[in-house]
Amino acid sequence: MSDPKKTEVPQMTSRLVARQRFFARPIPEGFSEEWAAALAQPLPETQDTKASILEFRIGDLQMGIASRYVKAVTPALTICPVPHRNNTAFLGLAAFAGEVIPCVSLARILGASDAVTTVDAKTIVLEERPGERWAFRVHAVLGVSTGSTHERGAEDGNKLSSDWCDSVLEDERNQRINILKPETVFQRLQRATT
Amino acid sequence: MNDFDDLSIYEMFRMEAEEQVEQLQTRLLALKDGDTNEPTLRSLMRGAHSLKGAARVVGLNAAVRLTHAMEERFVAAQGGHAITQTEVDTLLRANDLLRDLAAVSEEDAPSWSASKESEIDALVTALTGADATDDVAVVAEAAPKEKSTQSASSNIADEPRVTDPESAAATSEHERRATDMNLRITSQRFDRIIAMSSDNLVQSQALVRLQEQMSRIQHRLERLVRSVADARRKALLNPEKQAAALKVIMAQGERDRARIGTLLNELDRMVHTHELNSERLHQEVLHARLRPFGDVVPNLRRLVRDVSAEMGKKVVLQVSGEKTEVDRDILEKLRAPLEHLLRNALDHGLESTAARIAAGKPEEGTVKMRARHVNGRLVITLSDDGGGVHVAAVARRAIDRGLVKEDTAAVLSEAETLEFLFLPGFSTRNEVTEISGRGFGLDVVQSTVHESGGAVKIENAPGQGTTFEITLPVTRSLMRVMEVELENEVYAVPLNRISRIAAVTVAMDAEGRASVEGRSDGDERIPVMHMMSALQNTNAPVQAGAAKVVFFLNERGQEAPIAFQIDRVVNETTVAVRQLDPRLGRMAAIAAVTLTEQNVPMLIVEPDDILRLSLQVQRKAPAVTSEGEGRGSVLVVDDSATVRQMLRRTLLRARYHVATAEHGAEAWNLLQVQPFDLLVSDVDMPEMNGIELVEHVRGNARLAHLPIILLSYKGRDEDRQRGLEAGADAYVTKGEFEEQAFLQVVTDLVGPAELPAEESGA
């Protein structure tokens, strides 16, 4: 078997020489100034409106919430009702990942149908900050969508008030999905829990 | 790997210093004037010597000099040069400095040493008898300052609650560092470990059940083998092939049976080991969290020694139950209330020596402190043999300060009058002393204890003394419970509160009252309530008839005079107690939560709440429904029966419907199930205070717009602002209470009552 190094040496040498010549050539006139001027220009302002949301349905309301707040989507959790609290939006306590977390009916808070009987029903676990989690039931989880966000317009309907939603996400199929305002969601979940 | 491998040398020094200064203080306090007790002096010398060596290792020369001087003094005492009480004071001050040093971080240590240099010089001079008399004077001036600094974290009587935010923050930062050093993990992580180990123990119970199931399988297999053997005998009469097949099956079954037997043996061993390990792990972790009550005692003895000397009173502090184990968080929170109550006892409670002699009492006053566990709760009593609280003086001061009108004060019970002592700024003393009497403290004692889920009670014996009783929960533990089923839900009832469970005949009288027979012939019948009534604050129907399951709770060592019907007893088991999520707020009748083996939350009920709520439901349900419905209905909430009645009568006279509740939690429960047009609430109440109640109401979609009047003795601008910011529509001060003005506020908020006089009830 022949040694490849021996046959490649002349070829490598000529390439190195060519490289050295290329990099050793004088800089064209005005080249440095041109680049310095280009780099000194401020970057064009770009607004990153890409977002990722978890889309779900409660009754006939279809909406989404920023994925970063979603800790998990699970099959419907068993809820332990709490005395004195059973006539409010607070449904009770559920176990999730070894923790006991409050479970709230977002449907009742939104004034939508609360009857969850379909096999598609799921529980969404949200986390506002570490250790503060809530669970709520939805009729169906429709998936995760990414796209650009826009202000909500008249064409987006008004089933959700502006307190709850002021922007929409337009996904790859040009479908517009109402995005819930996280501050409102967590505030209402907290109120329902206490 | 050694437990301390991840600690720096400096952290090791701090840990050692913390332990040594506590031991030094205890032994110094035990030294009598001129004491030459050799074992005590030897241990003091060794303590100072060890600390000196540790300080030298980390290069803390200031601490080396100080501990060396202390050691020299102890050595001299061993040689017969007895230590005087004045020198004990100096040694205690030196020890305080070392305690401060133990709370200082490594990076702050050089600046700490520099700032304390002159003080250390003076202490060294005082202990070794060297020159530098000027420095001694510095010590004399600096010492009280240091003393107050040392106890600043827990002194709530002498210091305003917020004095110097920066120094308070620095102190708390030091405390935090010291605490972190001792725990070496955050307390949150520690709690999670406790929860995990507790779950581990509960899971081991599941293994036991698995073992039982396997045993059943084994028995079934044995039956199968017998059946096959029978079939084989029958097959002997038939073709040979069948017999051969059956023989094979039987052999296989026999092998399986033997295999399962082996597995069971193995499982049995595993279960036993696992149970032991889990128990050991849990006990280990749990006990690391628990501290003996005695940990706070040396500081309290020091306080009694210093304060009684300052006041010229002879006082002895008798402590019992020092080994009572207390959750370390609760113990930390107890320090300040206990110190305040002690100061109060020394200053207000115990009379002067002359007065005691005149009253025929021993010259030396006695303060007794006792810690113990009662029904799973920590109970601490602090009593003195002083003159007791002058109830009339308390009432007079309340009237003088405009907190209550003279005619109202006249009808207040002693307990209600003593409640004034827990109001902010309330004191019967005219002069301010260094010890107490600045008029704040007992309200902070109460709120601190409330925050920990406890309660403070005061018992007064005029001429004989005062007793404060602090009750606190001990909830971070495993608990034996009885699982009971109610309307398809399972609840856990602490087993130590159940007096008995019985299947009995429940009879119903003509008025629909359910009862069971007393324990023995001739005893009165015992009323029965469905447990759901207490849990839901409703009148859930009791099922009459034979063999109905009821249980009885014990209350203060006696069986409570009511029985609770349940649907069935599910199980008796051990559960891992978890704190309720603070976002849920306070929940009446529920103490904690646990996870079942099926990983489903199960609520642990609070027996005291169950008893109290059940009696309320029994007593109040008819009155509430007749008085509380309809337009113009007002819910009055106040823990004082007198104030409640006064408001009720005022509103009834104005022809409003009135329902009443004793505290915020009860009011909140009523608001859930009944419509009201106005809420009138006191601010300071147990269970749920008025501010919390207002916040609950405002946070509830249905009740958010309910008009609310807060009524309180607290008349300061900040109190008023706090109430209004919480969401109250009006804030009325009880001290300025005028019936017509109050009714005008009511009318402004809800309009005049629209009900005829005969419908409003009386």
Side-chain angles (χ1 to χ4, degrees):
Chain A
M1 196 174 171
S2 63
D3 187 349
K5 284 179 185 171
K6 282 181 183 172
T7 55
E8 281 176 12
V9 168
Q11 199 180 352
M12 287 293 290
T13 309
S14 65
R15 277 185 192 166
L16 279 171
V17 171
R19 276 180 205 159
Q20 280 169 358
R21 279 185 190 151
F22 178 76
F23 287 112
R25 77 187 196 282
I27 298 170
E29 195 179 338
F31 181 84
S32 299
E33 291 74 15
E34 189 184 334
W35 270 104
L39 291 170
Q41 293 297 316
L43 289 170
E45 281 189 16
T46 55
Q47 202 172 5
D48 186 11
T49 53
K50 286 279 181 190
S52 166
I53 62 162
L54 179 78
E55 196 182 348
F56 55 90
R57 183 174 61 76
I58 293 176
D60 59 349
L61 294 173
Q62 207 159 308
M63 66 207 92
I65 188 159
S67 301
R68 66 177 179 278
Y69 295 110
V70 179
K71 195 70 189 170
V73 175
T74 74
L77 297 172
T78 307
I79 296 169
C80 166
V82 175
H84 302 286
R85 303 278 181 96
N86 54 0
N87 55 350
T88 65
F90 176 64
L91 298 174
L93 301 171
F96 171 74
E99 290 177 33
V100 178
I101 59 174
C103 193
V104 174
S105 169
L106 195 56
R108 286 190 203 170
I109 298 175
L110 290 166
S113 163
D114 192 30
V116 178
T117 51
T118 65
V119 289
D120 295 332
K122 300 278 187 225
T123 300
I124 295 177
V125 179
L126 297 183
E127 186 172 72
E128 185 179 14
R129 57 181 74 91
E132 291 201 359
R133 294 175 181 175
W134 276 276
F136 64 89
R137 293 186 300 195
V138 297
H139 290 99
V141 169
L142 307 173
V144 176
S145 301
T146 52
S148 53
T149 57
H150 306 277
E151 258 187 47
R152 192 166 71 150
E155 71 275 21
D156 298 310
N158 58 1
K159 283 183 179 172
L160 287 167
S161 74
S162 57
D163 281 352
W164 282 96
C165 167
D166 59 7
S167 63
V168 292
L169 179 135
E170 191 170 307
D171 67 11
E172 293 85 350
R173 294 163 296 166
N174 295 330
Q175 285 185 329
R176 290 166 74 88
I177 306 153
N178 285 310
I179 306 174
L180 292 174
K181 285 158 75 172
E183 61 271 25
T184 306
V185 172
F186 287 117
Q187 185 193 51
R188 300 297 175 89
L189 291 175
Q190 175 64 66
R191 274 194 201 169
T193 304
T194 306
Chain B
M1 184 173 159
N2 187 294
D3 277 353
F4 301 111
D5 280 355
D6 54 346
L7 288 181
S8 71
I9 295 294
Y10 189 82
E11 283 170 332
M12 292 284 291
F13 162 75
R14 285 170 63 180
M15 195 181 281
E16 184 177 353
E18 244 187 17
E19 286 173 14
Q20 291 288 2
V21 293
E22 289 308 322
Q23 288 175 18
L24 281 169
Q25 173 165 289
T26 304
R27 287 172 188 137
L28 282 169
L29 289 170
L31 274 184
K32 304 278 186 300
D33 201 21
D35 205 335
T36 53
N37 183 300
E38 174 55 24
T40 306
L41 291 171
R42 196 187 315 128
S43 57
L44 281 165
M45 185 273 288
R46 279 186 184 157
H49 181 77
S50 300
L51 209 44
K52 183 174 76 173
R56 186 170 285 143
V57 168
V58 292
L60 285 172
N61 291 332
V64 172
R65 280 195 300 126
L66 189 58
T67 46
H68 179 71
M70 292 167 80
E71 184 188 354
E72 287 288 292
R73 186 65 195 91
F74 296 135
V75 169
Q78 283 178 297
H81 185 190
I83 297 173
T84 64
Q85 278 303 300
T86 311
E87 285 175 308
V88 170
D89 288 342
T90 309
L91 286 161
L92 283 169
R93 287 202 295 273
N95 204 46
D96 287 347
L97 267 183
L98 294 169
R99 181 188 283 108
D100 282 357
L101 175 60
V104 173
S105 67
E106 188 167 9
E107 55 270 33
D108 294 339
S111 58
W112 181 90
S113 296
S115 69
K116 303 290 179 188
E117 199 174 341
S118 61
E119 205 171 319
I120 290 170
D121 283 346
L123 284 166
V124 169
T125 305
L127 288 171
T128 57
D131 51 2
T133 47
D134 289 345
D135 284 347
V136 176
V138 172
V139 175
E141 282 176 17
K145 194 173 156 192
E146 268 313 289
K147 188 177 75 180
S148 72
T149 307
Q150 183 260 321
S151 59
S153 63
S154 54
N155 183 346
I156 54 177
D158 291 354
E159 298 297 328
R161 266 167 269 169
V162 179
T163 47
D164 176 0
E166 282 184 17
S167 74
T171 306
S172 107
E173 176 64 8
H174 282 157
E175 281 170 356
R176 185 190 65 74
R177 286 176 188 166
T179 309
D180 285 351
M181 185 183 73
N182 283 340
L183 270 174
R184 297 180 56 232
I185 53 171
T186 64
S187 53
Q188 281 174 326
R189 184 179 296 275
F190 203 77
D191 287 344
R192 283 202 294 274
I193 291 171
I194 288 182
M196 280 191 289
S197 64
S198 302
D199 289 343
N200 195 16
L201 189 56
V202 173
Q203 287 302 324
S204 70
Q205 293 172 338
L207 270 176
V208 174
R209 263 180 278 284
L210 181 66
Q211 183 192 26
E212 287 167 358
Q213 285 170 2
M214 286 191 73
S215 292
R216 281 199 292 274
I217 293 169
Q218 187 187 30
H219 291 140
R220 277 205 299 272
L221 257 177
E222 280 170 352
R223 281 203 303 274
L224 178 71
V225 170
R226 280 198 297 274
S227 306
V228 172
D230 285 342
R232 183 169 168 247
R233 274 197 301 277
K234 289 171 190 168
L236 286 175
L237 306 170
N238 295 311
E240 287 181 3
K241 278 185 182 176
Q242 282 183 356
L246 280 171
K247 192 177 177 182
V248 170
I249 293 167
M250 192 176 160
Q252 182 64 44
E254 188 59 37
R255 279 197 299 275
D256 286 348
R257 191 187 66 79
R259 172 69 184 143
I260 287 177
T262 310
L263 279 175
L264 268 175
N265 284 339
E266 197 178 331
L267 186 63
D268 189 30
R269 185 182 55 77
M270 279 171 59
V271 165
H272 185 63
T273 311
H274 182 61
E275 263 186 322
L276 277 178
N277 283 346
S278 298
E279 178 70 30
R280 229 176 270 150
L281 169 69
H282 183 76
Q283 290 300 324
E284 195 72 31
V285 177
L286 195 65
H287 278 86
R289 175 145 204 116
L290 297 177
R291 306 286 307 159
F293 175 73
D295 273 9
V296 295
V297 172
N299 280 341
L300 298 178
R301 288 194 191 283
R302 171 84 184 274
L303 185 145
V304 171
R305 179 185 186 278
D306 293 351
V307 173
S308 57
E310 198 176 321
M311 301 193 68
K313 292 180 178 178
K314 289 186 178 174
V315 183
V316 61
L317 173 66
Q318 294 176 355
V319 183
S320 57
E322 290 191 53
K323 288 182 181 170
T324 305
E325 288 191 314
V326 187
D327 187 287
R328 60 174 296 135
D329 285 350
I330 289 176
L331 194 62
E332 278 307 309
K333 285 183 178 162
L334 264 175
R335 285 178 191 270
L338 289 177
E339 284 191 10
H340 179 77
L341 292 177
L342 259 182
R343 285 172 191 275
N344 259 3
L346 296 171
D347 192 12
H348 296 289
L350 295 173
E351 313 92 327
S352 66
T353 307
R356 288 183 67 84
I357 293 168
K361 289 183 176 180
E363 195 179 332
E364 190 175 60
T366 303
V367 179
K368 290 181 182 171
M369 189 177 284
R370 183 183 178 207
R372 62 199 189 282
H373 288 152
V374 178
N375 292 327
R377 289 173 81 84
L378 172 71
V379 179
I380 295 166
T381 48
L382 192 145
S383 55
D384 63 66
D385 66 346
V389 180
H390 201 296
V391 181
V394 175
R396 173 46 53 198
R397 177 52 65 101
I399 295 164
D400 291 347
R401 287 191 50 191
L403 296 172
V404 65
K405 286 190 168 183
E406 198 138 9
D407 52 347
T408 309
V411 296
L412 290 176
S413 66
E414 181 179 300
E416 284 175 333
T417 305
L418 291 176
E419 284 293 310
F420 285 112
L421 294 173
F422 291 101
L423 282 176
F426 192 91
S427 174
T428 53
R429 279 285 179 91
N430 289 319
E431 77 280 15
V432 171
T433 70
E434 281 301 313
I435 311 304
S436 58
R438 286 183 182 168
F440 48 84
L442 273 184
D443 63 315
V444 185
V445 169
Q446 191 179 50
S447 60
T448 307
V449 173
H450 277 176
E451 278 168 20
S452 303
V456 189
K457 267 194 334 193
I458 176 170
E459 283 176 23
N460 185 42
Q464 295 173 43
T466 314
T467 299
F468 285 89
E469 183 181 277
I470 297 177
T471 310
L472 287 158
V474 184
T475 53
R476 293 171 194 275
S477 60
L478 286 177
M479 190 186 275
R480 290 291 293 168
V481 298
M482 182 180 72
E483 294 176 355
V484 301
E485 190 175 297
L486 301 166
E487 297 181 0
N488 300 320
E489 291 295 334
V490 179
Y491 295 86
V493 184
L495 210 55
N496 65 347
R497 294 298 307 277
I498 294 178
S499 157
R500 63 189 165 112
I501 306 164
V504 292
T505 300
V506 176
M508 203 74 77
D509 68 11
E511 293 171 6
R513 287 187 297 245
S515 64
V516 294
E517 283 185 357
R519 286 199 88 146
S520 37
D521 289 344
D523 282 359
E524 278 188 19
R525 294 187 68 80
I526 302 167
V528 180
M529 173 173 280
H530 199 280
M531 191 175 155
M532 212 58 201
S533 296
L535 281 175
Q536 297 281 27
N537 215 14
T538 57
N539 267 324
V542 174
Q543 290 183 343
K548 300 297 177 194
V549 184
V550 298
F551 72 88
F552 299 81
L553 291 170
N554 57 46
E555 186 185 28
R556 294 192 180 94
Q558 291 185 329
E559 193 165 280
I562 190 163
F564 293 96
Q565 188 175 61
I566 52 177
D567 297 345
R568 72 183 180 99
V569 172
V570 180
N571 198 9
E572 181 191 313
T573 187
T574 302
V575 295
V577 178
R578 290 163 181 259
Q579 300 296 308
L580 285 165
D581 191 322
R583 290 173 294 168
L584 295 166
R586 285 186 194 161
M587 293 206 289
I590 304 299
V593 66
T594 186
L595 285 180
T596 64
E597 289 164 13
Q598 291 74 39
N599 202 34
V600 175
M602 177 169 65
L603 299 172
I604 303 171
V605 301
E606 171 57 62
D608 287 332
D609 277 4
I610 293 289
L611 278 172
R612 189 176 43 73
L613 289 168
S614 62
L615 293 172
Q616 281 173 7
V617 169
Q618 265 202 331
R619 192 174 65 234
K620 300 179 70 174
V624 164
T625 49
S626 67
E627 288 191 336
E629 289 172 354
R631 186 161 163 72
S633 62
V634 183
L635 176 58
V636 171
V637 198
D638 201 302
D639 57 338
S640 160
T642 312
V643 175
R644 244 182 2 251
Q645 282 308 308
M646 179 195 75
L647 290 170
R648 181 175 168 273
R649 286 174 195 170
T650 301
L651 289 162
L652 286 175
R653 278 198 294 273
R655 298 194 297 168
Y656 289 97
H657 280 307
V658 184
T660 58
E662 287 180 23
H663 51 73
E666 190 190 350
W668 177 242
N669 295 335
L670 282 173
L671 286 165
Q672 304 279 321
V673 294
Q674 283 184 228
F676 289 98
D677 299 309
L678 174 68
L679 171 64
V680 179
S681 175
D682 185 18
V683 173
D684 290 302
M685 296 179 289
E687 304 285 334
M688 180 193 289
N689 68 37
I691 300 291
E692 289 171 320
L693 177 61
V694 173
E695 287 169 351
H696 269 61
V697 170
R698 289 293 175 248
N700 181 284
R702 185 174 63 81
L703 299 167
H705 301 294
L706 178 72
I708 303 174
I709 299 173
L710 278 179
L711 198 60
S712 174
Y713 286 116
K714 292 178 174 174
R716 296 175 304 178
D717 285 347
E718 55 264 40
D719 298 322
R720 188 183 298 273
Q721 192 179 345
R722 190 165 153 248
L724 295 175
E725 278 177 0
D729 297 283
Y731 191 100
V732 177
T733 308
K734 287 179 185 173
E736 300 161 359
F737 187 83
E738 290 290 342
E739 187 172 310
Q740 284 313 311
F742 171 70
L743 286 174
Q744 187 57 53
V745 176
V746 172
T747 310
D748 289 346
L749 287 171
V750 294
E754 294 178 358
L755 298 157
E758 62 271 20
E759 287 181 20
S760 62

